[in-house]
Amino acid sequence: MRVVAVILIILSLCACAAPKAVEAGPAPISETPETQASEPEPEPEPEPEPEEPAVLSFKVVSGLTPEETLEIYLNQLYRSYVEMKPLDLSPVVNFEHGRMMQNLQSWNDLLALRRRVIFEHDFCFVDTERKPYSINYIKAKELSDQRMNYIDLRDYGEGTLALHFIIKGEPGEAYPPLFALNSEHTVVLTFDGERYKVAYHYFPGSEGKFENDLDVKVITKVQMFAQLYAEFAKVSPEVPEVLYDRAYDGEAAVGYALSYCESPNPDFHFVGDWYGNCMNFASQCIWSGFAAPGDTPKNYGSMTNEWYCGKSGGTLIWSSVSRFWNWSQGSRCPMQTVTFNHVYGVQKGDLVNVSSHASEEQGKFTHALIVVDEEKLLFAQNSPACFVYYSDLANCDFRFLRPVSINA
């Protein structure tokens, strides 16, 4: 009996140790909340990318030459342009002498904002390619105007000096507006015992942008979007019936602009950058759009009694932004034109006028450009003699004129 009892005990223990058949499959789920299976935990989200800096910055070591300081200044401006971000210029700029450099700082911030909003909302083409350029230094006696008569280096303190130079780039390409390609620059640099800093930067057009009546005001991104939304309103220009036999050829005007934007046509009088050659150049482009075979500046072909120019000079209507516009809108003008206020619908050869917001005189248009690419909105200009994108024309208003025909 003892043996039987021991065997029964051993069999009982083995039965307790054996797994139950139900444990081989999924465990039953109770209907009670206490025993419900918990949902799998969500996968951890990836760490957020670090935000890009709102304002670009850089450092400058002491002991740099004036030329090295200038090169850093221009290189950082190009960086801001390509990356479409505002830039803190304080490492290489002295803001203590007048409003010019502070306005230049604010204007560059506006430019970065304008380009970024245009790019993000695909309003028009924005150039983000960095192209090579060179700085060609010149001497003060080689300057073509009297700018140094108005700059007293003693006002900037001891150790001050001026650099004069021309920036050259790839022909036919647009660069940052502050580079003012193919035109003479003057930069005044102060010295604090350790570092040189830019305290003044003159080039054709800089006075209108930075030394005008008002401070350049930086606006918010929302305000910039509203401004651009209005600029790009889809309002098509009028398409009139051609009145005169001599119709305007925008392609011919563009061909002339591409040929003579960066270097002047010697057959025409050159007003010069000091007084502004922009409308003189724009009139040449428009004249080319009207010119018939055999027309030359010498025989005044396709010109009128009020609007003409040659190698020895021409009329104010030919070379003045305001006078040309007013004349073209007069009832007795032999040139048929269409004017409009939005960039939408521009064509090759159209005239563009620009008015700076830095002027207290509202609607004072002082600069003229010619449309050479209506897809990318690339314009040709003089004073400075280079190409510029519509996306890069910051802090200003616009008006547009399309020549249609002329009674020449």
Side-chain angles (χ1 to χ4, degrees), residues 26 119 289 376 378:
F119 181 81
K376 292 186 175 181
L378 180 66

Side-chain angles (χ1 to χ4, degrees), residues 49 89 233 281 397:
E49 294 285 338
L89 284 166
F281 168 71
D397 293 321

Side-chain angles (χ1 to χ4, degrees), residues 25-216:
I29 299 176
S30 170
E31 296 296 331
T32 61
E34 290 79 4
T35 59
Q36 283 182 353
S38 60
E39 295 183 4
E41 294 184 4
E43 295 183 7
E45 294 183 3
E47 290 292 326
E49 294 285 338
E51 290 189 6
E52 299 178 359
V55 178
L56 299 175
S57 61
F58 60 100
K59 294 182 179 180
V60 176
V61 299
S62 58
L64 297 177
T65 66
E67 291 80 5
E68 289 171 334
T69 302
L70 172 65
E71 289 163 15
I72 291 173
Y73 166 71
L74 294 173
N75 183 60
Q76 291 298 324
L77 286 174
Y78 212 150
R79 175 193 173 202
S80 173
Y81 179 81
V82 169
E83 297 187 30
M84 296 177 285
K85 294 179 183 177
L87 170 71
D88 177 12
L89 284 166
S90 59
V92 290
V93 168
N94 182 341
F95 296 108
E96 298 177 358
H97 298 277
R99 70 158 43 117
M100 168 172 266
M101 297 312 297
Q102 184 57 63
N103 272 349
L104 186 148
Q105 168 77 81
S106 299
W107 190 91
N108 191 67
D109 292 347
L110 271 179
L111 174 65
L113 178 61
R114 176 181 174 86
R115 284 167 51 79
R116 177 169 285 275
V117 174
I118 290 176
F119 181 81
E120 290 176 349
H121 294 275
D122 197 26
F123 280 117
C124 71
F125 176 78
V126 175
D127 187 15
T128 57
E129 178 188 357
R130 185 176 181 126
K131 297 172 279 286
Y133 66 92
S134 62
I135 306 170
N136 304 318
Y137 293 97
I138 60 177
K139 298 178 181 179
K141 64 182 180 181
E142 297 176 290
L143 293 170
S144 61
D145 56 49
Q146 58 268 42
R147 70 186 69 181
M148 294 310 294
N149 294 341
Y150 299 89
I151 301 174
D152 192 340
L153 298 183
R154 294 171 298 181
D155 294 339
Y156 295 88
E158 294 184 7
T160 298
L161 54 83
L163 293 177
H164 312 286
F165 57 95
I166 297 171
I167 302 176
K168 292 287 186 179
E170 294 183 345
E173 295 286 352
Y175 283 73
L178 295 177
F179 277 33
L181 247 63
N182 308 308
S183 296
E184 296 167 352
H185 294 248
T186 291
V187 161
V188 173
L189 298 109
T190 57
F191 187 64
D192 63 6
E194 293 186 358
R195 296 179 180 86
Y196 284 99
K197 286 192 173 185
V198 177
Y200 181 85
H201 183 179
Y202 176 86
F203 57 86
S206 64
E207 287 184 318
K209 286 184 175 72
F210 315 128
E211 285 195 299
N212 220 308
D213 308 312
L214 303 174
D215 292 332
V216 173

Side-chain angles (χ1 to χ4, degrees), residues 5-43:
V6 169
I7 292 172
L8 291 172
I9 292 171
I10 292 172
L11 291 173
S12 174
L13 290 173
C14 291
C16 291
K20 295 180 180 179
V22 294
E23 292 182 3
I29 299 176
S30 170
E31 296 296 331
T32 61
E34 290 79 4
T35 59
Q36 283 182 353
S38 60
E39 295 183 4
E41 294 184 4
E43 295 183 7

